[in-house]
C-alpha cells in the first residue's frame, strides 16, 4: 500500500512539474513575442534642428525620421545621447544599433561603418562676430583661431590649415560660446545648427560663402542586415512625403 501511495505521489509530482514547465515556458514565449525589440540610436543631442533636447525629450529631424523608420520596421526607438566622436565606436562595438547625428558621409568613416542612402544635404559654414571680424572669407581662416566640434567634418577640414589654431569642443554650443567671448575668431559648423546658434546668441553672423557641401546619412555596423531595411524604409518615407514633412516642420523655408 505504502509503495502504491508513494508511486502515485511521485507521478503527481512529475506531472505537476511537467505542467508547470510547459505553462511557464509558454507564457515566457508569449511575452517575448509580444515585446517589441528596441533599436538603440547613438547621437549627440546638441545639434538643433537635427537632434536637441526639448525638456527631457530628444526631438529634431533625425529623431523623427528614426522614429518613422522604427515604426515602419516594427522596432521601438531608444535614443542614446553621447559625445559626437563616440558615436561610431558605439556602432562598431554593438552598443548602439545605428548612429544618426547629422552625420556626414566621408570615405574615412566608411572604412569603419556602412552608411544608408543619404536623407539630407548640408553645408559647412563659417560663423564670425558681427562687428570687426578678423575672418571675412574662407581664405582668412588660414591664419585664424577656429572653434569646432571635436571629430566633426568641420574639425577635419580646418585641421588641414597649417597656420590656423584649432580649438576643439565636445559641443558645438561651447565653440559658439568661445566665439561670443572672443576666445576664437570663427566657428566652422553645419549650416542649420549655425542658424540656430546665431538666433540664440547676439553679435554673431554666418558668412555668405559656404565652406563645403555634404550628405547626411545613418551609419550602421559593417555588414549589418538593417542597412537594406533602413534604405527601403527611407525610400518609402521619401516617396510618401514623410521626410519632407519632418524637415519642413523644423526648417521652415
Ligand atoms: N556633419 C558633421 C559631421 O558629420 C557634424 C555633425 C555633428 N552632429 C551632432 N549631432 N553633433 O561631422
Amino acid at each position: 500500500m505504502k509503495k502504491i501511495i508513494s508511486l502515485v505521489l511521485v507521478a503527481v509530482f512529475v506531472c505537476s512539474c511537467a505542467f508547470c514547465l510547459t505553462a511557464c515556458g509558454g507564457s515566457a514565449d508569449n511575452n517575448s513575442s509580444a515585446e517589441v525589440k528596441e533599436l538603440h540610436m547613438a547621437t549627440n543631442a546638441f545639434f538643433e534642428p537635427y537632434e536637441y533636447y526639448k525638456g527631457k525629450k530628444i526631438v529634431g529631424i533625425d529623431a523623427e525620421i528614426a522614429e518613422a523608420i522604427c515604426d515602419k520596421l516594427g522596432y521601438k526607438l531608444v535614443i542614446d545621447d553621447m559625445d559626437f566622436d563616440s558615436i561610431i565606436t558605439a556602432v562598431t562595438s554593438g552598443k548602439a544599433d545605428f548612429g544618426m547625428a547629422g552625420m556626414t558621409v566621408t570615405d574615412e568613416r566608411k572604412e569603419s561603418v556602412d552608411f544608408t542612402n543619404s536623407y539630407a544635404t548640408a553645408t559647412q559654414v563659417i560663423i564670425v562676430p558681427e562687428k570687426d571680424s578678423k575672418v571675412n572669407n574662407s581664405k582668412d581662416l588660414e591664419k585664424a583661431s577656429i572653434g569646432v566640434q571635436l571629430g566633426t567634418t568641420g574639425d577635419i577640414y580646418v585641421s588641414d590649415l597649417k597656420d590656423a589654431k584649432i580649438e576643439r569642443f565636445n559641443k558645438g554650443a561651447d565653440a559658439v560660446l568661445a566665439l561670443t567671448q572672443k576666445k576664437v575668431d570663427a566657428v566652422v559648423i553645419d549650416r542649420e545648427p549655425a542658424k540656430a546658434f546665431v538666433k540664440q546668441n547676439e553679435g554673431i553672423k554666418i558668412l555668405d560663402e559656404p565652406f563645403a557641401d555634404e550628405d547626411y546619412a545613418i551609419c550602421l555596423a559593417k555588414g549589418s542586415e538593417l542597412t537594406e531595411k533602413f534604405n527601403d524604409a527611407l525610400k518609402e518615407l521619401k516617396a510618401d512625403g514623410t521626410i519632407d514633412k519632418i524637415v519642413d516642420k523644423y526648417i521652415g523655408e
Side-chain angles (χ1 to χ4, degrees):
M1 190 61 182
K2 260 192 190 162
K3 248 187 197 165
I4 291 174
I5 289 177
S6 44
L7 268 179
V8 168
L9 279 179
V10 167
V12 166
F13 179 71
V14 166
C15 281
S16 55
C17 278
F19 173 78
C20 207
L21 276 179
T22 26
C24 295
S27 84
D29 275 344
N30 285 342
N31 269 342
S32 62
S33 63
E35 230 171 58
V36 188
K37 200 183 168 301
E38 292 179 345
L39 281 190
H40 283 254
M41 159 175 153
T43 198
N44 171 253
F46 295 90
F47 206 63
E48 190 178 342
Y50 294 96
E51 43 268 328
Y52 59 101
Y53 282 93
K54 207 171 182 180
K56 280 190 181 148
K57 197 172 180 245
I58 296 173
V59 298
I61 295 172
D62 288 348
E64 288 204 25
I65 294 178
E67 187 82 59
I69 292 174
C70 286
D71 277 354
K72 228 178 220 313
L73 302 179
Y75 291 104
K76 180 175 182 288
L77 174 69
V78 181
I79 301 182
D80 299 333
D81 185 18
M82 60 190 72
D83 285 341
F84 183 76
D85 74 329
S86 303
I87 295 174
I88 289 194
T89 323
V91 171
T92 54
S93 68
K95 255 196 208 152
D97 300 291
F98 67 99
M100 191 170 187
M103 186 181 280
T104 305
V105 179
T106 71
D107 287 339
E108 201 193 328
R109 289 174 184 164
K110 272 193 204 161
E111 283 173 16
S112 22
V113 286
D114 285 347
F115 281 101
T116 61
N117 297 328
S118 173
Y119 63 89
T121 53
T123 10
Q124 293 292 310
V125 295
I126 306 166
I127 316 179
V128 296
E130 224 161 17
K131 281 188 210 129
D132 307 322
S133 174
K134 279 190 211 162
V135 175
N136 295 298
N137 51 54
S138 59
K139 184 105 184 83
D140 291 343
L141 282 179
E142 288 173 12
K143 289 200 167 72
S145 68
I146 311 166
V148 293
Q149 185 179 19
L150 177 71
T152 59
T153 46
D155 183 1
I156 298 166
Y157 298 139
V158 299
S159 296
D160 286 342
L161 309 174
K162 279 189 208 72
D163 296 323
K165 185 167 175 271
I166 317 301
E167 304 272 359
R168 298 179 175 85
F169 300 88
N170 271 329
K171 291 179 191 155
D174 293 336
V176 172
L177 184 68
L179 178 67
T180 60
Q181 295 172 340
K182 308 246 182 285
K183 289 178 183 156
V184 295
D185 304 323
V187 167
V188 173
I189 200 158
D190 307 48
R191 183 188 300 278
E192 291 306 325
K195 283 200 222 159
F197 288 133
V198 167
K199 226 193 235 166
Q200 291 153 8
N201 293 275
E202 271 177 26
I204 56 173
K205 65 173 183 191
I206 298 171
L207 291 183
D208 287 336
E209 179 191 357
F211 195 57
D213 293 324
E214 312 187 312
D215 291 313
Y216 288 168
I218 302 169
C219 70
L220 297 106
K222 276 215 166 292
S224 167
E225 287 168 6
L226 280 175
T227 308
E228 206 185 311
K229 293 184 185 158
F230 270 46
N231 275 334
D232 290 343
L234 276 173
K235 200 167 158 193
E236 285 174 34
L237 294 167
K238 265 183 209 162
D240 72 7
T242 306
I243 293 195
D244 282 343
K245 220 161 104 195
I246 294 171
V247 172
D248 285 350
K249 177 174 160 191
Y250 288 93
I251 311 176
E253 288 297 74

